[in-house]
Amino acid sequence: MQAWVIGNWKQNPATSHDVNALLDDLCAAISTTKQMSHDNSARCQIMVAPSLIHLAAVNGRLKDTSILCAAQDVSGHSASVGAYTGECSAQQIVDAGATWTILGHSERRQYHQESNDALLQKMIHALSQDLGVVFCIGESQAQYDTKQTLKVIDNQLAVIKEFIAQQPELIEALPTRLIIAYEPVWAIGTGKVPTVAEVSATHKHIKRTLAGFADSLSNMTVLYGGSVNADNANSFAADPMIDGALVGGASLKADSFLTIATAFSQASI
Ligand code: PGA
């Protein structure tokens, strides 16, 4: 199975100048680590999700490379155009060159109160424009402490079940256009990580749950996210249930990001 390593740049870097410097480093490091060799990029797909304001420029610089570009969110109001100040539609994101979007990141859920209903609309808009979706799920510290992880995840995955019920004509797209990213909220940006065994068991549950929604979802890609770095990537990559990583902080340095990608591409040999 092809691994995925995705850099979620969040509200970084600060300026276009800094974005270009990061891309310079990324492209230079890729040519020296041979990460871009045909075999390696086939084994591990690298993608970056810049801030919306930088999306078109980043895509312009990466369009002749094997690195894909994603947005971090899409409008839930409309897939195309409309009177929605401050929003950006799935169609506009595709037009800017992105082929994927992250949806349901815990920071969106926390700061923008994104509900399952809102996420369902966003997912419908994205997939109707053939924008792939990296759907983030995960429990809070309190939920982890009280052993509610699987219950929380089941509730979040209900969005996928409802999507299938409402959009049966789009179900065929899901195996290749939907990725799940399991990100315990307490592990994001904290340096704390669950054990590989815990992540593996949770991923097994996620995969089994998705397979229960539809036969075609029996082999879905499930990434781990939350304080993945150059030092711990190998241990996550070694587990066959972990199909890649969604990386925040460590994706803002080309070296650490590519070390993580190399760990997953080596593990999938
Ligand atoms: P982190 O962020 O790698 O900085 O913990 C991950 C994420 O929020 O996707």
Side-chain angles (χ1 to χ4, degrees):
M1 190 164 186
Q2 185 190 45
W4 285 75
V5 170
I6 303 172
N8 176 11
W9 290 0
K10 309 190 181 186
Q11 195 175 287
N12 299 293
T15 63
S16 304
H17 178 269
D18 295 347
V19 168
N20 277 320
L22 175 54
L23 290 171
D24 287 345
D25 289 350
L26 203 52
C27 293
I30 275 175
S31 54
T32 44
T33 61
K34 302 266 188 297
Q35 182 61 44
M36 284 282 277
S37 76
H38 182 72
D39 285 355
N40 270 354
S41 59
R43 284 198 297 266
C44 180
Q45 177 64 60
I46 300 177
M47 183 154 77
V48 294
S51 163
L52 213 43
I53 192 82
H54 298 135
L55 188 62
V58 170
N59 182 62
R61 284 210 50 191
L62 295 178
K63 74 175 178 333
D64 295 327
T65 75
S66 63
I67 303 177
L68 299 178
C69 230
Q72 298 173 12
D73 187 34
V74 300
S75 169
H77 297 287
S78 164
S80 55
V81 294
Y84 304 110
T85 302
E87 294 289 339
C88 192
S89 73
Q91 185 185 33
Q92 290 168 326
I93 284 163
V94 170
D95 188 54
T99 46
W100 288 77
T101 185
I102 296 171
L103 284 184
H105 189 279
S106 66
E107 287 148 16
R108 300 285 319 166
R109 293 178 191 264
Q110 182 183 354
Y111 302 129
H112 301 271
Q113 290 74 46
E114 289 191 348
S115 63
N116 274 6
D117 286 349
L119 288 168
L120 176 61
Q121 286 313 308
K122 289 178 183 220
M123 187 173 288
I124 291 171
H125 293 330
L127 287 163
S128 69
Q129 299 290 322
D130 197 25
L131 194 58
V133 170
V134 180
F135 189 67
C136 301
I137 57 176
E139 82 286 359
S140 67
Q141 180 76 65
Q143 290 162 337
Y144 174 78
D145 291 343
T146 51
K147 305 202 182 323
Q148 292 182 68
T149 299
L150 300 188
K151 191 170 151 225
V152 170
I153 280 171
D154 286 349
N155 180 268
Q156 293 167 329
L157 288 177
V159 171
I160 314 291
K161 193 175 185 187
E162 191 56 29
F163 176 88
I164 293 168
Q166 290 193 20
Q167 306 286 319
E169 71 285 1
L170 287 176
I171 190 173
E172 271 172 34
L174 294 183
T176 53
R177 304 304 279 150
L178 175 68
I179 289 174
I180 305 295
Y182 167 57
E183 300 201 299
V185 179
W186 53 271
I188 295 176
T190 59
K192 291 196 285 184
V193 288
T195 64
V196 173
E198 284 177 303
V199 176
S200 185
T202 304
H203 281 207
K204 196 172 180 183
H205 176 82
I206 294 167
K207 286 174 187 255
R208 203 186 291 136
T209 302
L210 293 169
F213 292 165
D215 289 348
S216 59
L217 306 192
S218 62
N219 196 19
M220 295 298 283
T221 298
V222 182
L223 314 183
Y224 169 72
S227 295
V228 177
N229 59 38
D231 296 328
N232 63 22
N234 274 320
S235 61
F236 289 117
D239 191 288
M241 282 287 145
I242 305 174
D243 304 319
L246 181 56
V247 187
S251 72
L252 297 172
K253 291 266 184 305
D255 284 354
S256 49
F257 186 52
L258 289 183
T259 301
I260 295 166
T262 303
F264 279 94
S265 80
Q266 299 291 318
S268 59
I269 291 176

